[in-house]
Amino acid sequence: ICTAEGYQGSLVGAADQAGGMVMVWQDQRETQLRIFAQRVDGAGHVLWTTDGVLLSVNQCFNPYICADGTGGAFITWNDRSDSRGSIYVQHLDASGAKVWASAGIEIANGTTASENTLPVCTHDGAGGVIVAWSQEVDPPSGDLQVVAQRLSAAGTLLWTSQGRLVGSDIDAGEEISIAADEDVHGVFLGWVSSAGTGIVQRVNAGGNPQWNSTSGYSLGAVVAGSRVRVAERERASGGCFALFKWHHSGTGIYDFNVLQVAARDSSTTLAWTEDLDSGGGLSGYPDLGDDYRVTTGGDGGCGCVWDKVDDGAGDGVFAALLEYNGDYRGEGVLQVSSGTDGNHFPDATVWPGY
């Protein structure tokens, strides 16, 4: 997708709903790091400008992408030209043309009072996009919080200028997980607090946090350095799935980390939790990697993928489908790759109507 000289990295992609995908990366073919995007079809043919469509003109990092549902994509990134971190977003159509202003739309500008970083985005189910990011108040030693903004299909900011506060506490360097809440044109978010607690939050179409104000819903303590991943729950009472790693306290070899998936309905009820079993032991036995994802599945269930590392035959990537009520579907947990050379960074999507 790119043969230009210089460094290219931080590649992320999204399915284009036509058998192909759109990808975005940071690129140092010139002096500064800039953001480029490319689309490929189902046969692997490059569809847009050779070596990618240039999105940014300044020093930029942390690109993130989501599909727009019509073959194009929404892309957000961190502009560091002001040293405080501004957040930009752009919409590319199916041909790779920029729908909004050539340099993108600035939705948050870094100042001496706030520094913005690590943006993520998802479509809002109404032709627009919702972006969320981490914001440090009074840097370099201030509190970190979660801020979000929604844009219409025309690129109009729909929430408060500079974004709406939706989470009052997030750990430094923490990656936010995001999933569309399509029925209400809102969003689900997941992150880890500075106290090591897993948090999920639901934000409605107006930008108002729905679960315990800006505190969010607590999943309890999670393993240090781990992530909370979220996906929309499409059946029963709605809500979301959250996948996270927690510590199973015991003695000897029975003291290990476990991957747990939790289902929340649209209010404050925890519908069920399930410790994922990788065959011959829970997903964390004897050791669990840091890479795992959850995705919305057909009929209200979800799909989960994760890696496991124990320096032996048990290494590999595992996957499972769960029903809307938490029961395993089909053959339960499947090992989809194995070996001791390292199998990491799994990701997945579920075929419609699985």
Side-chain angles (χ1 to χ4, degrees):
I1 63 171
C2 178
T3 60
E5 295 183 358
Y7 163 81
Q8 285 90 33
S10 298
L11 176 73
V12 288
D16 66 0
Q17 284 78 51
M21 67 184 306
V22 184
M23 290 157 284
V24 62
W25 67 93
Q26 57 190 39
D27 189 306
Q28 200 169 11
R29 66 186 69 176
E30 299 179 2
T31 303
Q32 294 184 321
L33 275 172
R34 296 180 176 177
I35 307 300
F36 284 78
Q38 183 60 270
R39 183 184 179 193
V40 297
D41 64 18
H45 300 129
V46 172
L47 300 179
W48 293 348
T49 303
T50 301
D51 292 332
V53 176
L54 175 63
L55 295 173
S56 65
V57 295
N58 297 319
Q59 182 85 342
C60 297
F61 304 87
N62 304 320
Y64 194 92
I65 188 171
C66 67
D68 69 356
T70 60
F74 296 104
I75 298 165
T76 184
W77 65 89
N78 206 181
D79 185 310
R80 302 291 295 182
S81 59
D82 59 7
S83 78
R84 291 295 185 182
S86 296
I87 305 296
Y88 280 76
V89 62
Q90 178 62 272
H91 185 193
L92 298 180
D93 67 17
S95 70
K98 297 175 181 177
V99 177
W100 297 336
S102 178
I105 297 175
E106 184 184 59
I107 60 175
N109 63 286
T111 68
T112 56
S114 65
E115 183 171 348
N116 307 291
T117 189
L118 298 174
V120 295
C121 62
T122 188
H123 66 90
D124 67 358
V129 64
I130 297 175
V131 184
W133 63 95
S134 177
Q135 181 181 83
E136 183 176 10
V137 181
D138 296 325
S141 58
D143 295 329
L144 288 162
Q145 56 192 20
V146 180
V147 181
Q149 179 62 267
R150 182 184 176 196
L151 292 85
S152 70
T156 302
L157 302 185
L158 299 179
W159 296 347
T160 307
S161 175
Q162 301 300 312
R164 183 70 63 85
L165 177 66
V166 296
S168 55
D169 177 41
I170 182 172
D171 200 15
E174 171 65 17
E175 175 185 321
I176 301 167
S177 178
I178 190 168
D181 187 3
E182 294 191 54
D183 290 342
V184 299
H185 309 309
V187 70
F188 295 105
L189 301 170
W191 67 88
V192 177
S193 73
S194 60
T197 301
I199 303 294
V200 288
Q201 179 63 276
R202 187 185 196 192
V203 183
N204 68 12
N208 302 306
Q210 300 297 290
W211 292 340
N212 299 331
S213 185
T214 57
S215 297
Y217 176 82
S218 173
L219 297 165
V222 299
V223 173
S226 63
R227 302 285 186 259
V228 173
R229 310 293 190 186
V230 294
E232 184 181 21
R233 187 177 182 223
E234 294 182 338
R235 186 174 164 176
S237 300
C240 72
F241 298 104
L243 182 63
F244 55 97
K245 186 163 59 172
W246 67 283
H247 191 69
H248 183 283
S249 296
T251 58
I253 65 171
Y254 297 104
D255 192 15
F256 50 85
N257 298 330
V258 176
L259 263 185
Q260 184 174 95
V261 60
R264 280 214 46 171
D265 68 19
S266 57
S267 59
T268 57
T269 302
L270 186 65
W272 50 263
T273 62
E274 179 70 37
D275 290 338
L276 296 177
D277 189 329
S278 58
L282 294 173
S283 56
Y285 176 74
D287 194 13
L288 177 70
D290 293 326
D291 306 321
Y292 45 90
R293 296 289 190 276
V294 59
T295 183
T296 300
D299 201 27
C302 67
C304 301
V305 292
W306 66 94
D307 68 341
K308 193 178 75 162
V309 182
D310 65 2
D311 297 324
D315 287 8
V317 172
F318 295 82
L321 294 173
L322 279 77
E323 303 277 9
Y324 73 95
N325 60 0
D327 292 340
Y328 284 108
R329 183 163 188 161
E331 299 180 24
V333 173
L334 298 175
Q335 185 168 0
V336 297
S337 74
S338 62
T340 58
D341 295 329
N343 298 275
H344 303 293
F345 307 109
D347 205 348
T349 187
V350 176
W351 286 94
Y354 84 92

